[in-house]
Amino acid sequence: MCQCDEYFMAIALEEAQKAFLEDEVPVGACVVLEGKVIAQAHNRREKTQNPLLHAEIEVIEKASQVLRSWRLSECALYVTLEPCLMCAGAIIQARIKRLVFGAYDPKGGVVHSVLRVFDLPWNHKVEIQGGILQEKCSQILREYFKIKRGEVAELDEGARLEID
């Protein structure tokens, strides 16, 4: 684990907060190159009604535009939730060097939870670190789904969810 992992995961959490306030599943991501954030994004699936617009897909596209290359082979991707199968495929295709995620996803995560996709013999190997700021990343998801289930009142416009 890199000392900077918590710092960059906090940036991904800021993106998750934006998603939360937009009534999107609160997942955020950032791409880091040489210690600098080059792209940030969050889920936009509900707003756009596009099933492809997960945080990871969005941030990979933005980083590719910044670098003017589909190859992100020197980049690290930080995301608040263990990637799904679609996003894991995009990470491999973009040649991401390192994946760092926060919360494990027992229903859809394919890094450790449901499958171990990165253990298969792909043409590209990704370094993986999970569980960074895991409790904070899990908390924002729990709060979002409590609201969706009607267990708590919705947040006022412009409110900020406090993540301990």
Side-chain angles (χ1 to χ4, degrees):
M1 179 174 83
C2 170
Q3 287 182 338
C4 54
D5 285 346
E6 289 186 0
Y7 173 80
F8 292 121
M9 189 60 71
I11 292 170
L13 269 165
E14 289 173 9
E15 286 294 320
Q17 174 71 30
K18 291 176 186 176
F20 185 98
L21 295 173
E22 293 173 12
D23 199 20
E24 295 279 350
V25 174
V27 177
C30 66
V31 170
V32 175
L33 176 63
E34 298 174 352
K36 295 181 181 146
V37 175
I38 63 167
Q40 295 173 232
H42 58 273
N43 278 358
R44 294 188 324 115
R45 187 169 60 172
E46 295 300 327
K47 185 176 188 177
T48 62
Q49 291 299 297
N50 183 335
L52 304 178
L53 295 187
H54 288 199
E56 299 96 323
I57 302 296
E58 287 276 283
V59 82
I60 287 170
E61 182 176 5
K62 286 180 178 184
S64 294
Q65 290 172 357
V66 168
L67 297 179
R68 295 187 173 142
S69 175
W70 62 268
R71 290 181 183 269
L72 305 179
S73 57
E74 296 302 314
C75 295
L77 189 154
Y78 289 77
V79 62
T80 58
L81 183 63
E82 180 181 0
C84 70
L85 187 57
M86 172 182 71
C87 294
I91 289 164
I92 292 167
Q93 291 301 316
R95 308 297 195 265
I96 295 287
K97 181 178 187 173
R98 186 165 184 258
L99 167 65
V100 182
F101 68 91
Y104 288 82
D105 183 356
K107 294 182 180 178
V110 299
V111 179
H112 289 288
S113 297
V114 176
L115 295 173
R116 290 179 166 261
V117 167
F118 292 102
D119 290 349
L120 296 171
W122 302 110
N123 60 339
H124 175 70
K125 287 291 182 194
V126 180
E127 298 169 28
I128 297 166
Q129 177 68 52
I132 303 299
L133 299 183
Q134 181 175 351
E135 183 52 38
K136 291 181 180 184
C137 293
S138 295
Q139 181 185 2
I140 193 169
L141 288 159
R142 281 193 307 270
E143 293 302 318
Y144 176 80
F145 287 110
K146 279 183 186 176
I147 291 169
K148 287 296 176 193
R149 289 188 305 264
E151 294 176 16
V152 295
E154 291 191 35
L155 292 179
D156 294 331
E157 183 73 27
R160 182 166 175 83
L161 177 66
E162 292 303 318
I163 303 170
D164 298 329

